[in-house]
Amino acid sequence: MVCVWTRLVTVMSDEGCAAAGERSSLSGLLLASHAPLDDAQRAGRMKCSRCGASRMFYCYSCCALVGLEPRDVPSVKLPVKIDIIKHPNETDGKSTAVQARLLAPHDVTIYTYPCIPELDQSAENIVLVFPGPDAMTVEELWEYFSAGGAQRVKRLKAASETRTCPIQRVVFIDSTWNQTTRIITDERLQALPNVELKSRRTCFWRHQKGCPDTYLATIEAVYYFLKDLHSHYFSEYTGEYDNLLFFFSFLHKLINKAKQAAGKV
């Protein structure tokens, strides 16, 4: 099952870095150099040029780099457009959604509920990543849309001719589990077919109390969805979207080092 929210997405998995001593799922990623982040860390927190707040690496309020230049971070091209709907009560500083926007600025948009994107299913094949009794897997997308009427079939035909996937847009909900009801029951989302992710364990350091380790950070959910999509509809996955975890993997390393130094690991 999958529930996507700011901090976490519900999934079931045997892959990841839940238990101490397990091989981290963040190892082996094909990432751009973290040297600029090392330099920025040594320089310390700086003021955001837009709002003046003290930040490290990026301003999560303004979605802007801080102490870094655009050339210092990778730019990831995605095969689909991604809309992230953030709950208004979610703490910006605890959300990883902004990382997706910073690393794939041409393909990722963040909305704060009750604002949501215009979702025109007559023009695009759109899915919502959220668990439920009728949720399908990534592998089932083609079959679902091929049975969805002339317009959907037409878009599938175009997709097959260009070797792309059967969907053009994906919606994620950025919220804690207790806050999802308000968004998921919004009538504007009711017509969207749901997709659930394969089960994986989170590497997120802000684990939600009382929740299993199969709740993913939003950036993890986006990454794993795209990885599965690529593997099933394009070709063997060879790290095409690994840089979506550019900030996440660096912060994970920093926090683990701090925990080790404090004797908490």
Side-chain angles (χ1 to χ4, degrees):
M1 292 175 58
V2 189
C3 291
V4 188
W5 36 81
T6 299
R7 296 187 240 177
L8 311 171
V9 165
T10 307
V11 266
M12 311 172 304
S13 150
D14 54 13
E15 178 181 346
C17 35
E22 287 187 4
R23 181 181 179 275
S24 171
S25 64
L26 297 179
S27 62
L29 295 172
L30 299 178
L31 297 170
S33 173
H34 277 158
L37 298 184
D38 287 321
D39 293 340
Q41 184 200 8
R42 284 191 288 268
R45 297 172 71 88
M46 295 185 179
K47 287 186 176 182
C48 172
S49 60
R50 298 184 186 180
C51 69
S54 176
R55 300 285 190 251
M56 176 75 77
F57 306 133
Y58 55 83
C59 179
Y60 43 76
S61 302
C62 302
C63 199
L65 295 173
V66 176
L68 296 165
E69 297 296 329
R71 64 174 179 272
D72 295 329
V73 301
S75 180
V76 186
K77 176 61 180 173
L78 307 184
V80 294
K81 298 299 181 182
I82 288 180
D83 294 323
I84 300 175
I85 304 172
K86 188 174 81 71
H87 193 283
N89 293 339
E90 266 308 304
T91 304
D92 288 340
K94 294 181 178 180
S95 172
T96 60
V98 66
Q99 297 176 17
R101 171 68 181 172
L102 288 169
L103 296 166
H106 301 296
D107 297 313
V108 176
T109 307
I110 299 175
Y111 300 83
T112 300
Y113 190 81
C115 293
I116 70 170
E118 289 191 18
L119 303 169
D120 185 357
Q121 291 180 279
S122 67
E124 297 179 299
N125 290 344
I126 310 170
V127 297
L128 170 66
V129 180
F130 200 83
D134 298 322
M136 71 188 91
T137 64
V138 169
E139 291 80 0
E140 294 171 324
L141 287 172
W142 194 280
E143 180 181 358
Y144 173 84
F145 283 107
S146 66
Q151 284 299 319
R152 288 179 175 176
V153 171
K154 183 178 179 180
R155 289 193 290 273
L156 282 184
K157 184 178 180 181
S160 64
E161 290 172 352
T162 56
R163 293 183 60 80
T164 55
C165 62
I167 56 173
Q168 291 78 48
R169 187 171 298 275
V170 187
V171 179
F172 290 81
I173 295 176
D174 193 23
S175 166
T176 58
W177 173 253
N178 292 333
Q179 295 172 337
T180 56
T181 302
R182 179 180 173 188
I183 300 177
I184 198 61
T185 56
D186 190 296
E187 62 180 10
R188 294 171 291 179
L189 300 177
Q190 296 309 298
L192 296 181
N194 289 10
V195 176
E196 62 183 21
L197 300 180
K198 288 181 180 178
S199 164
R200 296 180 175 97
R201 293 185 182 130
T202 186
C203 289
F204 198 35
W205 48 93
R206 288 193 177 101
H207 186 66
Q208 198 174 26
K209 278 188 176 181
C211 294
D213 56 22
T214 51
Y215 278 38
L216 302 180
T218 298
I219 190 65
E220 291 179 297
V222 172
Y223 166 73
Y224 283 125
F225 178 88
L226 291 170
K227 183 177 179 181
D228 291 345
L229 195 70
H230 187 98
S231 298
H232 194 73
Y233 294 106
F234 294 91
S235 59
E236 181 181 357
Y237 183 75
T238 54
E240 285 79 1
Y241 316 117
D242 283 8
N243 271 321
L244 286 175
L245 299 178
F246 178 73
F247 288 113
F248 187 87
S249 60
F250 185 80
L251 292 170
H252 180 269
K253 178 178 65 177
L254 281 186
I255 291 166
N256 271 0
K257 283 184 177 179
K259 287 181 177 179
Q260 289 172 0
K264 294 182 179 180
V265 175

